[in-house]
Coordinates of all heavy atoms in Angstrom, one line a residue:
M1400 N 39.8 4.7 8.7 CA 40.4 4.2 10.0 C 40.2 2.7 10.1 O 39.0 2.3 9.9 CB 39.9 4.9 11.2 CG 40.3 6.4 11.2 SD 39.7 7.2 12.7 CE 40.4 6.2 14.0
F1401 N 41.2 2.0 10.5 CA 41.1 0.6 10.8 C 42.3 0.2 11.6 O 43.3 0.8 11.6 CB 40.8 -0.3 9.6 CG 42.0 -0.3 8.6 CD1 43.0 -1.3 8.8 CD2 42.1 0.6 7.6 CE1 44.1 -1.3 7.9 CE2 43.1 0.6 6.7 CZ 44.2 -0.4 6.8
T1402 N 42.1 -0.9 12.4 CA 43.3 -1.4 13.1 C 43.6 -2.8 12.6 O 42.7 -3.5 12.0 CB 43.0 -1.5 14.6 OG1 41.9 -2.3 14.9 CG2 42.8 -0.1 15.2
V1403 N 44.8 -3.2 12.8 CA 45.3 -4.5 12.3 C 45.8 -5.3 13.5 O 46.5 -4.8 14.4 CB 46.5 -4.4 11.3 CG1 47.0 -5.7 10.9 CG2 46.1 -3.5 10.2
R1404 N 45.4 -6.6 13.6 CA 45.8 -7.5 14.6 C 46.4 -8.8 14.0 O 45.7 -9.5 13.3 CB 44.7 -7.9 15.6 CG 45.1 -8.7 16.8 CD 44.0 -9.0 17.7 NE 43.3 -7.8 18.1 CZ 42.1 -7.8 18.6 NH1 41.4 -8.9 18.7 NH2 41.5 -6.7 18.9
V1405 N 47.7 -9.0 14.2 CA 48.3 -10.2 13.6 C 48.2 -11.3 14.7 O 48.6 -11.2 15.8 CB 49.8 -9.9 13.4 CG1 50.5 -11.2 12.8 CG2 50.0 -8.7 12.4
Q1406 N 47.5 -12.4 14.2 CA 47.3 -13.5 15.1 C 48.1 -14.7 14.5 O 48.7 -14.6 13.5 CB 45.8 -13.8 15.2 CG 45.1 -12.6 15.8 CD 43.6 -12.6 15.6 OE1 43.1 -13.0 14.6 NE2 42.8 -12.3 16.7
K1407 N 47.9 -15.8 15.2 CA 48.7 -17.0 14.7 C 48.2 -17.5 13.3 O 49.0 -17.9 12.5 CB 48.5 -18.1 15.8 CG 49.3 -19.4 15.5 CD 49.2 -20.4 16.5 CE 50.0 -21.6 16.2 NZ 50.0 -22.6 17.3
T1408 N 46.9 -17.5 13.1 CA 46.4 -18.1 11.9 C 45.8 -17.1 10.9 O 45.5 -17.4 9.7 CB 45.2 -19.1 12.2 OG1 44.2 -18.3 12.8 CG2 45.7 -20.2 13.0
Q1409 N 45.8 -15.8 11.3 CA 45.3 -14.8 10.3 C 45.7 -13.4 10.8 O 46.1 -13.2 11.9 CB 43.7 -14.8 10.2 CG 43.0 -14.4 11.4 CD 41.5 -14.6 11.3 OE1 41.0 -15.5 10.5 NE2 40.7 -13.8 12.0
I1410 N 45.6 -12.5 9.8 CA 45.8 -11.0 10.1 C 44.4 -10.4 10.0 O 43.7 -10.5 9.0 CB 46.7 -10.4 9.1 CG1 48.1 -11.0 9.2 CG2 46.8 -8.9 9.4 CD1 49.1 -10.5 8.2
S1411 N 43.9 -9.9 11.1 CA 42.5 -9.4 11.2 C 42.5 -7.9 11.1 O 43.4 -7.2 11.6 CB 41.9 -9.9 12.5 OG 41.9 -11.2 12.7
F1412 N 41.4 -7.4 10.5 CA 41.2 -6.0 10.3 C 39.9 -5.6 11.0 O 38.9 -6.3 10.9 CB 41.1 -5.7 8.8 CG 42.3 -6.0 8.1 CD1 42.5 -7.3 7.5 CD2 43.4 -5.1 8.0 CE1 43.6 -7.6 6.8 CE2 44.6 -5.5 7.3 CZ 44.7 -6.7 6.8
Y1413 N 40.0 -4.5 11.8 CA 38.9 -4.0 12.6 C 38.6 -2.6 12.4 O 39.5 -1.8 12.2 CB 39.2 -4.2 14.1 CG 39.4 -5.6 14.6 CD1 40.6 -6.2 14.4 CD2 38.4 -6.3 15.2 CE1 40.8 -7.5 14.8 CE2 38.6 -7.6 15.6 CZ 39.8 -8.2 15.4 OH 40.0 -9.5 15.8
N1414 N 37.3 -2.2 12.4 CA 37.0 -0.8 12.6 C 36.5 -0.8 14.1 O 37.4 -0.9 14.9 CB 35.9 -0.2 11.6 CG 34.8 -1.2 11.4 OD1 34.4 -2.0 12.2 ND2 34.2 -1.1 10.2
Q1415 N 35.3 -0.7 14.4 CA 34.8 -0.9 15.7 C 34.8 -2.4 16.0 O 35.0 -2.9 17.2 CB 33.4 -0.4 16.0 CG 33.4 1.1 15.8 CD 32.0 1.6 15.7 OE1 31.0 0.9 15.7 NE2 31.8 2.9 15.6
R1416 N 34.6 -3.2 15.0 CA 34.5 -4.7 15.1 C 35.3 -5.3 13.9 O 35.6 -4.7 13.0 CB 33.1 -5.2 15.1 CG 32.3 -4.7 16.3 CD 30.8 -5.1 16.1 NE 30.0 -4.7 17.3 CZ 29.6 -3.4 17.5 NH1 29.8 -2.5 16.6 NH2 28.9 -3.1 18.5
F1417 N 35.5 -6.6 14.0 CA 36.1 -7.4 12.9 C 35.3 -7.2 11.6 O 34.1 -7.3 11.7 CB 36.2 -8.8 13.4 CG 36.6 -9.8 12.3 CD1 38.0 -10.0 12.0 CD2 35.7 -10.4 11.4 CE1 38.4 -10.8 11.0 CE2 36.1 -11.2 10.4 CZ 37.5 -11.4 10.2
F1418 N 36.0 -7.0 10.5 CA 35.3 -6.9 9.2 C 36.0 -7.7 8.2 O 35.4 -8.1 7.2 CB 35.1 -5.5 8.8 CG 36.3 -4.7 8.4 CD1 36.9 -4.8 7.1 CD2 36.9 -3.9 9.4 CE1 38.0 -4.0 6.8 CE2 38.1 -3.1 9.0 CZ 38.6 -3.2 7.8
A1419 N 37.3 -8.1 8.3 CA 38.0 -8.8 7.3 C 39.3 -9.5 7.8 O 39.7 -9.1 8.9 CB 38.4 -7.9 6.1
A1420 N 39.8 -10.4 7.1 CA 41.0 -11.1 7.5 C 41.8 -11.6 6.3 O 41.2 -11.8 5.2 CB 40.7 -12.3 8.4
V1421 N 43.1 -11.7 6.4 CA 43.9 -12.4 5.4 C 44.5 -13.6 6.1 O 45.0 -13.5 7.3 CB 45.0 -11.4 5.0 CG1 46.1 -12.2 4.2 CG2 44.5 -10.3 4.1
S1422 N 44.5 -14.7 5.4 CA 45.0 -16.0 6.0 C 45.5 -16.9 4.9 O 45.6 -16.4 3.7 CB 43.9 -16.7 6.8 OG 43.0 -17.2 5.9
F1423 N 45.9 -18.1 5.2 CA 46.3 -19.1 4.2 C 45.3 -20.2 4.2 O 45.6 -21.4 3.9 CB 47.7 -19.6 4.5 CG 48.7 -18.5 4.5 CD1 49.3 -18.1 5.7 CD2 49.0 -17.8 3.4 CE1 50.3 -17.1 5.8 CE2 50.0 -16.8 3.4 CZ 50.6 -16.4 4.6
L1424 N 44.1 -19.9 4.6 CA 43.0 -20.9 4.6 C 42.9 -21.6 3.2 O 42.7 -20.9 2.2 CB 41.7 -20.2 5.0 CG 40.5 -21.1 5.2 CD1 40.7 -22.0 6.4 CD2 39.2 -20.3 5.3
P1425 N 43.0 -22.9 3.2 CA 43.0 -23.6 1.9 C 41.5 -23.8 1.4 O 41.0 -24.9 1.6 CB 43.7 -24.9 2.2 CG 43.4 -25.2 3.6 CD 43.3 -23.8 4.3
V1426 N 40.9 -22.8 0.8 CA 39.5 -22.9 0.5 C 39.3 -23.7 -0.9 O 38.1 -23.8 -1.3 CB 38.9 -21.5 0.4 CG1 38.8 -20.9 1.8 CG2 39.6 -20.6 -0.6
R1427 N 40.3 -24.1 -1.5 CA 40.2 -24.9 -2.7 C 41.0 -26.2 -2.5 O 41.9 -26.3 -1.6 CB 40.8 -24.2 -3.9 CG 40.1 -23.0 -4.4 CD 40.7 -22.5 -5.6 NE 40.2 -21.1 -5.9 CZ 40.8 -20.2 -6.6 NH1 42.0 -20.6 -7.2 NH2 40.3 -19.1 -6.8
K1428 N 40.7 -27.3 -3.2 CA 41.4 -28.5 -3.1 C 42.8 -28.2 -3.6 O 43.1 -27.3 -4.4 CB 40.8 -29.6 -4.0 CG 39.4 -30.0 -3.5 CD 38.8 -31.1 -4.4 CE 37.5 -31.5 -3.9 NZ 36.9 -32.5 -4.7
A1429 N 43.8 -29.0 -3.1 CA 45.2 -28.8 -3.3 C 45.5 -28.7 -4.8 O 46.3 -27.9 -5.3 CB 46.0 -29.8 -2.7
A1430 N 44.9 -29.5 -5.6 CA 45.2 -29.6 -7.1 C 44.7 -28.3 -7.8 O 45.2 -27.9 -8.8 CB 44.5 -30.8 -7.7
Q1431 N 43.8 -27.6 -7.2 CA 43.2 -26.4 -7.8 C 43.8 -25.1 -7.1 O 43.4 -24.0 -7.5 CB 41.7 -26.4 -7.6 CG 41.0 -27.5 -8.3 CD 39.6 -27.7 -7.9 OE1 39.1 -27.2 -6.9 NE2 38.8 -28.4 -8.8
R1432 N 44.7 -25.3 -6.2 CA 45.2 -24.1 -5.4 C 46.6 -23.8 -6.0 O 47.4 -24.6 -6.2 CB 45.4 -24.6 -4.0 CG 45.0 -23.5 -3.0 CD 45.0 -24.0 -1.5 NE 45.8 -25.1 -1.2 CZ 45.4 -26.3 -0.7 NH1 44.1 -26.4 -0.4 NH2 46.2 -27.2 -0.3
P1433 N 46.8 -22.5 -6.2 CA 48.1 -22.1 -6.7 C 49.1 -22.2 -5.5 O 48.8 -22.3 -4.4 CB 48.0 -20.6 -7.1 CG 46.7 -20.2 -6.4 CD 45.9 -21.4 -6.2
K1434 N 50.4 -22.2 -5.9 CA 51.5 -22.4 -4.9 C 51.5 -21.3 -3.9 O 51.5 -21.5 -2.7 CB 52.8 -22.5 -5.6 CG 54.0 -22.7 -4.6 CD 55.3 -22.8 -5.3 CE 56.4 -22.9 -4.3 NZ 57.7 -22.5 -4.9
D1435 N 51.4 -20.0 -4.3 CA 51.4 -18.9 -3.5 C 50.1 -18.2 -3.6 O 49.6 -17.8 -4.6 CB 52.5 -17.9 -3.9 CG 53.9 -18.6 -3.9 OD1 54.2 -19.3 -2.9 OD2 54.7 -18.5 -4.8
F1436 N 49.5 -17.9 -2.4 CA 48.2 -17.3 -2.3 C 47.9 -16.7 -0.9 O 48.6 -17.1 0.0 CB 47.1 -18.3 -2.7 CG 46.8 -19.4 -1.6 CD1 45.9 -19.2 -0.6 CD2 47.6 -20.5 -1.6 CE1 45.7 -20.2 0.3 CE2 47.4 -21.5 -0.7 CZ 46.5 -21.3 0.3
I1437 N 46.9 -15.9 -0.9 CA 46.3 -15.5 0.4 C 44.8 -15.7 0.3 O 44.3 -15.7 -0.8 CB 46.6 -14.0 0.8 CG1 46.1 -13.1 -0.2 CG2 48.1 -13.8 1.1 CD1 46.2 -11.6 0.2
T1438 N 44.1 -15.9 1.4 CA 42.7 -16.0 1.4 C 42.2 -14.7 2.1 O 42.6 -14.5 3.2 CB 42.2 -17.2 2.1 OG1 42.7 -18.4 1.4 CG2 40.7 -17.3 2.1
V1439 N 41.3 -14.0 1.4 CA 40.7 -12.8 2.0 C 39.3 -13.2 2.5 O 38.5 -13.8 1.7 CB 40.6 -11.6 1.0 CG1 39.8 -10.5 1.6 CG2 42.0 -11.2 0.6
T1440 N 39.0 -13.0 3.8 CA 37.7 -13.3 4.4 C 37.0 -12.1 4.8 O 37.7 -11.1 5.3 CB 38.0 -14.2 5.6 OG1 38.7 -15.4 5.2 CG2 36.7 -14.6 6.3
F1441 N 35.7 -12.0 4.6 CA 34.9 -10.9 5.0 C 33.5 -11.3 5.3 O 33.1 -12.4 4.8 CB 34.9 -9.8 3.9 CG 34.4 -10.3 2.6 CD1 33.1 -10.2 2.3 CD2 35.3 -10.8 1.6 CE1 32.6 -10.6 1.0 CE2 34.8 -11.2 0.4 CZ 33.5 -11.1 0.1
G1442 N 32.8 -10.6 6.1 CA 31.5 -10.9 6.5 C 30.4 -9.9 6.1 O 30.7 -8.7 6.1
L1443 N 29.3 -10.4 5.6 CA 28.2 -9.6 5.2 C 26.9 -10.1 5.7 O 26.8 -11.2 6.2 CB 28.1 -9.5 3.6 CG 29.3 -8.8 2.9 CD1 29.2 -9.0 1.4 CD2 29.4 -7.4 3.3
G1444 N 25.8 -9.3 5.6 CA 24.5 -9.7 6.0 C 23.8 -10.6 5.1 O 22.6 -11.0 5.3
Y1445 N 24.4 -10.9 4.0 CA 23.7 -11.8 2.9 C 24.8 -12.6 2.2 O 26.0 -12.2 2.3 CB 23.0 -10.9 1.9 CG 23.9 -10.0 1.1 CD1 24.4 -10.4 -0.2 CD2 24.3 -8.8 1.6 CE1 25.2 -9.5 -0.9 CE2 25.1 -7.9 0.9 CZ 25.6 -8.3 -0.3 OH 26.4 -7.5 -1.0
R1446 N 24.4 -13.6 1.5 CA 25.4 -14.4 0.8 C 25.7 -13.8 -0.6 O 24.7 -13.5 -1.3 CB 24.9 -15.8 0.6 CG 25.8 -16.7 -0.1 CD 25.3 -18.2 -0.3 NE 26.4 -19.0 -0.8 CZ 26.6 -20.2 -0.6 NH1 25.7 -20.9 0.3 NH2 27.5 -20.9 -1.1
V1447 N 26.9 -13.6 -0.9 CA 27.3 -13.1 -2.2 C 27.4 -14.3 -3.2 O 28.1 -15.3 -2.8 CB 28.7 -12.4 -2.2 CG1 29.1 -12.0 -3.6 CG2 28.6 -11.2 -1.3
E1448 N 26.7 -14.3 -4.3 CA 26.8 -15.3 -5.3 C 27.7 -14.8 -6.4 O 27.3 -13.9 -7.2 CB 25.4 -15.7 -5.8 CG 24.5 -16.3 -4.8 CD 24.9 -17.7 -4.4 OE1 25.7 -18.4 -5.1 OE2 24.4 -18.1 -3.3
H1449 N 28.9 -15.3 -6.5 CA 29.9 -14.8 -7.5 C 30.9 -15.8 -7.7 O 31.3 -16.5 -6.8 CB 30.5 -13.5 -7.0 CG 31.2 -12.7 -8.0 ND1 32.5 -13.0 -8.4 CD2 30.9 -11.6 -8.7 CE1 32.9 -12.2 -9.4 NE2 31.9 -11.3 -9.6
P1450 N 31.4 -16.0 -8.9 CA 32.4 -17.1 -9.2 C 33.7 -16.9 -8.4 O 34.4 -17.9 -8.2 CB 32.7 -16.9 -10.7 CG 31.6 -16.1 -11.3 CD 31.0 -15.3 -10.2
R1451 N 34.0 -15.7 -8.0 CA 35.2 -15.5 -7.2 C 35.1 -15.9 -5.7 O 36.1 -16.1 -5.1 CB 35.7 -14.1 -7.3 CG 36.1 -13.7 -8.7 CD 36.6 -12.4 -8.9 NE 37.7 -12.0 -8.0 CZ 38.2 -10.8 -7.8 NH1 37.6 -9.8 -8.4 NH2 39.2 -10.6 -7.0
I1452 N 33.9 -16.1 -5.3 CA 33.7 -16.6 -3.9 C 34.0 -18.1 -3.8 O 33.3 -18.9 -4.4 CB 32.3 -16.3 -3.4 CG1 32.0 -14.8 -3.5 CG2 32.1 -16.8 -1.9 CD1 32.8 -13.9 -2.6
D1453 N 35.1 -18.5 -3.1 CA 35.5 -19.9 -3.1 C 34.7 -20.6 -2.0 O 34.4 -21.8 -2.2 CB 37.0 -20.0 -2.7 CG 37.8 -19.6 -3.9 OD1 37.9 -20.3 -4.9 OD2 38.5 -18.5 -3.8
A1454 N 34.2 -20.0 -1.0 CA 33.4 -20.6 0.0 C 32.6 -19.6 0.8 O 33.1 -18.4 0.9 CB 34.3 -21.4 1.0
A1455 N 31.5 -19.9 1.3 CA 30.6 -19.0 2.1 C 29.9 -19.9 3.1 O 29.5 -21.0 2.8 CB 29.7 -18.3 1.2
A1456 N 29.7 -19.4 4.3 CA 29.0 -20.1 5.3 C 28.2 -19.1 6.2 O 28.6 -17.9 6.2 CB 30.0 -20.8 6.2
E1457 N 27.1 -19.5 6.7 CA 26.3 -18.7 7.6 C 26.4 -19.1 9.0 O 25.6 -19.9 9.5 CB 24.8 -18.7 7.1 CG 24.0 -17.7 7.8 CD 22.5 -17.8 7.4 OE1 22.1 -18.8 6.9 OE2 21.8 -16.8 7.5
P1458 N 27.5 -18.7 9.8 CA 27.7 -19.2 11.1 C 26.6 -18.7 12.1 O 26.4 -19.3 13.1 CB 29.0 -18.6 11.5 CG 29.2 -17.4 10.6 CD 28.5 -17.7 9.4
Y1459 N 26.0 -17.5 11.8 CA 24.9 -17.0 12.6 C 23.8 -16.5 11.6 O 24.1 -16.2 10.5 CB 25.4 -15.8 13.4 CG 26.6 -16.0 14.3 CD1 27.8 -15.6 13.9 CD2 26.4 -16.7 15.5 CE1 28.9 -15.9 14.7 CE2 27.5 -17.0 16.3 CZ 28.8 -16.6 15.9 OH 29.8 -16.8 16.7
P1460 N 22.6 -16.4 12.0 CA 21.5 -15.9 11.1 C 21.9 -14.5 10.6 O 22.3 -13.7 11.4 CB 20.3 -15.9 12.0 CG 20.5 -16.9 13.1 CD 22.0 -16.9 13.3
C1461 N 21.7 -14.4 9.3 CA 22.0 -13.1 8.7 C 23.5 -12.6 8.8 O 23.8 -11.4 8.8 CB 21.1 -12.0 9.1 SG 19.3 -12.4 8.8
R1462 N 24.4 -13.6 8.9 CA 25.8 -13.2 9.0 C 26.5 -14.3 8.1 O 26.7 -15.4 8.5 CB 26.3 -13.3 10.4 CG 27.8 -13.2 10.6 CD 28.3 -11.8 10.4 NE 29.7 -11.8 10.6 CZ 30.5 -10.7 10.5 NH1 29.9 -9.6 10.2 NH2 31.7 -10.8 10.8
W1463 N 26.9 -13.8 6.9 CA 27.6 -14.7 6.0 C 29.1 -14.4 6.0 O 29.5 -13.3 5.8 CB 27.0 -14.6 4.6 CG 25.7 -15.2 4.5 CD1 24.5 -14.7 4.7 CD2 25.5 -16.6 4.1 NE1 23.5 -15.6 4.5 CE2 24.1 -16.8 4.1 CE3 26.3 -17.6 3.7 CZ2 23.5 -18.0 3.8 CZ3 25.7 -18.8 3.4 CH2 24.3 -19.0 3.4
T1464 N 29.9 -15.4 6.1 CA 31.4 -15.3 6.0 C 31.8 -15.8 4.6 O 31.4 -16.9 4.2 CB 32.0 -16.1 7.1 OG1 31.6 -15.7 8.4 CG2 33.6 -16.0 7.0
H1465 N 32.5 -15.0 3.9 CA 32.9 -15.3 2.5 C 34.5 -15.4 2.5 O 35.2 -14.6 3.1 CB 32.5 -14.2 1.6 CG 31.0 -14.0 1.6 ND1 30.3 -13.3 2.5 CD2 30.1 -14.5 0.7 CE1 29.1 -13.3 2.2 NE2 28.9 -14.0 1.2
H1466 N 35.0 -16.3 1.7 CA 36.4 -16.5 1.5 C 36.7 -16.4 0.0 O 36.1 -17.1 -0.8 CB 36.8 -17.9 2.0 CG 36.4 -18.2 3.4 ND1 37.1 -17.6 4.5 CD2 35.5 -19.0 3.9 CE1 36.5 -18.0 5.6 NE2 35.5 -18.9 5.3
V1467 N 37.7 -15.6 -0.3 CA 38.2 -15.4 -1.7 C 39.7 -15.7 -1.7 O 40.5 -15.1 -1.0 CB 37.9 -14.0 -2.2 CG1 38.4 -13.8 -3.6 CG2 36.4 -13.7 -2.1
L1468 N 40.1 -16.7 -2.5 CA 41.5 -17.0 -2.7 C 42.1 -16.0 -3.7 O 41.5 -15.8 -4.8 CB 41.7 -18.4 -3.2 CG 43.1 -18.9 -3.2 CD1 43.1 -20.4 -2.8 CD2 43.7 -18.8 -4.6
V1469 N 43.2 -15.4 -3.4 CA 43.9 -14.4 -4.2 C 45.3 -14.9 -4.5 O 46.1 -15.2 -3.6 CB 43.9 -13.0 -3.5 CG1 44.7 -12.0 -4.3 CG2 42.5 -12.5 -3.2
S1470 N 45.6 -15.1 -5.8 CA 46.9 -15.5 -6.2 C 47.7 -14.5 -7.0 O 48.9 -14.7 -7.3 CB 46.9 -16.9 -6.9 OG 46.1 -16.8 -8.1
R1471 N 47.0 -13.5 -7.5 CA 47.6 -12.4 -8.3 C 47.2 -11.1 -7.8 O 46.0 -10.9 -7.4 CB 47.2 -12.6 -9.8 CG 47.7 -13.9 -10.4 CD 47.3 -14.0 -11.9 NE 45.8 -14.2 -11.9 CZ 45.0 -13.3 -12.6 NH1 45.5 -12.3 -13.3 NH2 43.7 -13.5 -12.6
A1472 N 48.1 -10.1 -7.8 CA 47.8 -8.8 -7.4 C 46.6 -8.2 -8.1 O 45.8 -7.4 -7.5 CB 49.0 -7.8 -7.5
E1473 N 46.4 -8.5 -9.4 CA 45.3 -8.0 -10.2 C 43.9 -8.4 -9.6 O 42.9 -7.8 -9.9 CB 45.4 -8.5 -11.6 CG 46.7 -8.1 -12.4 CD 47.8 -9.0 -12.0 OE1 47.7 -10.3 -12.0 OE2 48.9 -8.5 -11.8
E1474 N 43.9 -9.5 -8.8 CA 42.7 -9.9 -8.2 C 42.2 -9.1 -7.0 O 41.1 -9.2 -6.5 CB 42.8 -11.4 -7.8 CG 43.0 -12.3 -8.9 CD 43.4 -13.8 -8.5 OE1 44.0 -13.9 -7.5 OE2 43.0 -14.7 -9.3
I1475 N 43.1 -8.2 -6.6 CA 42.8 -7.3 -5.5 C 42.3 -6.0 -6.2 O 42.9 -5.0 -6.3 CB 44.0 -7.0 -4.6 CG1 44.5 -8.3 -4.0 CG2 43.7 -6.0 -3.5 CD1 45.9 -8.2 -3.4
D1476 N 41.1 -6.2 -6.7 CA 40.5 -5.2 -7.6 C 39.3 -4.5 -6.9 O 39.0 -4.7 -5.8 CB 40.1 -5.8 -8.9 CG 39.1 -7.0 -8.8 OD1 38.6 -7.2 -7.6 OD2 38.8 -7.6 -9.8
D1477 N 38.5 -3.7 -7.7 CA 37.4 -3.0 -7.2 C 36.3 -3.9 -6.7 O 35.6 -3.6 -5.7 CB 36.8 -2.0 -8.3 CG 37.8 -0.9 -8.6 OD1 38.7 -0.6 -7.8 OD2 37.6 -0.2 -9.6
T1478 N 36.1 -5.1 -7.3 CA 35.1 -6.0 -6.9 C 35.4 -6.5 -5.5 O 34.6 -6.4 -4.6 CB 35.0 -7.2 -7.9 OG1 34.7 -6.7 -9.2 CG2 34.0 -8.2 -7.4
L1479 N 36.6 -7.0 -5.3 CA 37.0 -7.5 -4.0 C 37.0 -6.4 -2.9 O 36.4 -6.6 -1.8 CB 38.4 -8.2 -4.0 CG 39.0 -8.7 -2.7 CD1 38.1 -9.8 -2.1 CD2 40.4 -9.2 -2.8
M1480 N 37.6 -5.3 -3.2 CA 37.6 -4.2 -2.3 C 36.2 -3.6 -2.0 O 36.0 -3.2 -0.9 CB 38.6 -3.1 -2.7 CG 40.0 -3.6 -2.9 SD 40.7 -4.5 -1.5 CE 40.6 -3.3 -0.2
G1481 N 35.3 -3.7 -2.9 CA 34.0 -3.3 -2.7 C 33.3 -4.2 -1.7 O 32.6 -3.7 -0.8
W1482 N 33.5 -5.5 -1.7 CA 33.0 -6.4 -0.7 C 33.6 -6.1 0.6 O 32.9 -6.1 1.6 CB 33.3 -7.8 -1.1 CG 32.5 -8.3 -2.3 CD1 31.3 -8.0 -2.7 CD2 33.0 -9.3 -3.2 NE1 30.9 -8.6 -3.8 CE2 31.9 -9.5 -4.2 CE3 34.1 -10.0 -3.4 CZ2 32.0 -10.4 -5.3 CZ3 34.2 -10.9 -4.4 CH2 33.2 -11.1 -5.4

Side-chain angles (χ1 to χ4, degrees):
M1400 292 181 56
F1401 63 90
T1402 58
V1403 179
R1404 186 177 307 156
V1405 180
Q1406 300 166 317
K1407 185 175 181 177
T1408 60
Q1409 68 185 28
I1410 300 174
S1411 302
F1412 300 91
Y1413 297 82
N1414 45 27
Q1415 297 167 358
R1416 295 176 179 80
F1417 171 86
F1418 67 87
V1421 168
S1422 69
F1423 302 111
L1424 185 68
V1426 293
R1427 293 182 192 162
K1428 293 181 179 182
Q1431 299 169 338
R1432 221 173 24 239
K1434 180 181 175 196
D1435 301 315
F1436 70 92
I1437 59 173
T1438 299
V1439 176
T1440 300
F1441 57 89
L1443 295 172
Y1445 64 96
R1446 182 180 185 147
V1447 175
E1448 296 290 344
H1449 193 280
R1451 291 182 59 191
I1452 303 292
D1453 288 290
E1457 187 180 26
Y1459 306 102
C1461 299
R1462 171 71 176 181
W1463 285 89
T1464 301
H1465 301 80
H1466 305 286
V1467 178
L1468 189 141
V1469 174
S1470 61
R1471 296 177 295 121
E1473 300 82 42
E1474 295 171 332
I1475 303 168
D1476 59 6
D1477 291 343
T1478 300
L1479 177 62
M1480 297 313 294
W1482 291 328

